[in-house]
Amino acid sequence: MMVLTSLVLAAALAGAADDSPAPDCSLVPGWTQKGEPRTFEPDTLFDYMNGNAEGYHAYGFVLMQGVTCANDAGDQLVIDVSELGDTDRAWGIFTANRDIRSPNEAIGAAGQVLPRRATFARGRYYVEIAASPAGDHTEALRAFTAALEAQTPGRATPPEGVGWFPAEGLEAGSVRLVPASVLGIRALRSGFLAQYPEGRAFVVAEESPEAASATLEQVRQRFGTTADAVGIGDVAFTATDDYLGGLVLFRKGAYVAGVSNLAEGVDGTALARRLADTLP
């Protein structure tokens, strides 16, 4: 059985490698490959990234292919293309690693080009380019980003979950994907999180209304005292937690959602109701 499992995994990784858009220094004139290309699978990524590998595994890491490019001026670009578990997770790892001080750009589903670093997500892929030495490498980074984005397959728009949050009061650029334990609650396995003046809003999509009901009940049991809330989704309640502050949680169809980190005296039911109305 172990041999069969290993063969299946090897075949899956081989297929991923065939489909993955491998980086190539010749995509931009004036650059040549330096050293051998890199390939890392789930059990070897730690050899390349050390402690940072866990962050990639959290988003369903499948495969990384990389290459180092150099030009005659002595500049160097380290390019890595990672395949993640799905399109949402590729976008999610981009949002987790992006520079929050800089705006996103319309590169794939989302991207950024900074003086020494460029990143973007498209389809199941997350592309990173790091430039050295110190200085402004924007021109080269944009050239490689454009070439790599053109050869990367898959969806070039943000996840559907980004549109689940009402626009009123939404902090720009705050929507992100939490790959596990939303709000630090294990029952909320994976979902989207956004910031509002009142607090944090979240949405977790379950497979069915029945599964969502079971999840909401499991979460409700985590809190000592709760109170039913009327007119929010299909069923809702409020609670208070030492770490999460005030909460309003609800189920609507197959979604479990709500608002957390409400300061004392802040009523989050209006935001929770707007969130419920925005959900499909």
Side-chain angles (χ1 to χ4, degrees):
M1 181 64 71
M2 291 182 63
V3 173
L4 179 59
T5 301
S6 299
L7 290 173
V8 171
L9 177 59
L13 289 170
D18 291 342
D19 295 338
S20 180
D24 185 343
C25 297
S26 66
L27 288 171
V28 176
W31 294 84
T32 57
Q33 183 174 311
K34 179 180 179 181
E36 295 298 319
R38 302 176 294 275
T39 300
F40 298 98
E41 300 172 358
D43 58 349
T44 60
L45 184 64
F46 184 84
D47 298 335
Y48 180 54
M49 309 199 74
N50 203 345
N52 291 334
E54 289 304 318
Y56 286 70
H57 285 301
Y59 288 91
F61 175 78
V62 175
L63 184 75
M64 176 187 286
Q65 296 189 85
V67 68
T68 299
C69 305
N71 64 9
D72 292 340
D75 299 327
Q76 182 172 286
L77 300 177
V78 177
I79 307 174
D80 291 311
V81 178
S82 297
E83 180 179 353
L84 286 308
D86 56 37
T87 57
D88 285 0
R89 281 169 171 74
W91 178 88
I93 198 170
F94 164 79
T95 60
N97 291 328
R98 73 184 183 92
D99 185 342
I100 61 173
R101 299 165 298 181
S102 302
N104 291 352
E105 299 184 34
I107 305 170
Q112 284 185 330
V113 178
L114 307 174
R116 292 190 60 190
R117 177 175 168 81
T119 57
F120 72 87
R122 177 167 182 161
R124 304 190 309 274
Y125 302 99
Y126 172 56
V127 178
E128 308 168 82
I129 312 174
S132 62
D136 189 348
H137 299 269
T138 303
E139 182 178 355
L141 290 169
R142 286 202 178 279
F144 268 99
T145 297
L148 287 163
E149 199 273 337
Q151 73 169 23
T152 302
R155 187 179 67 197
T157 55
E160 180 185 358
V162 175
W164 292 342
F165 296 93
E168 181 185 348
L170 176 63
E171 183 179 306
S174 68
V175 181
R176 60 190 179 93
L177 174 69
V178 181
S181 300
V182 180
L183 303 183
I185 300 174
R186 185 174 299 179
L188 300 174
R189 293 172 293 179
S190 177
F192 291 87
L193 197 68
Q195 188 65 45
Y196 289 84
E198 300 96 319
R200 295 188 297 174
F202 76 92
V203 179
V204 172
E206 292 284 359
E207 294 181 356
S208 66
E210 293 75 18
S213 293
T215 296
L216 184 65
E217 182 57 30
Q218 189 175 353
V219 173
R220 185 167 191 163
Q221 291 176 6
R222 181 185 186 277
F223 305 108
T225 302
T226 65
D228 292 337
V230 179
I232 304 174
D234 299 318
V235 59
F237 67 88
T238 61
T240 303
D241 181 76
D242 291 339
Y243 173 70
L244 294 171
L247 301 105
V248 182
L249 297 100
F250 66 88
R251 177 187 68 81
K252 179 181 179 181
Y255 299 94
V256 176
V259 184
S260 71
N261 299 91
L262 298 166
E264 186 175 356
V266 174
D267 183 4
T269 56
L271 174 56
R273 190 171 291 109
R274 295 202 310 273
L275 179 58
D277 291 343
T278 304
L279 287 173

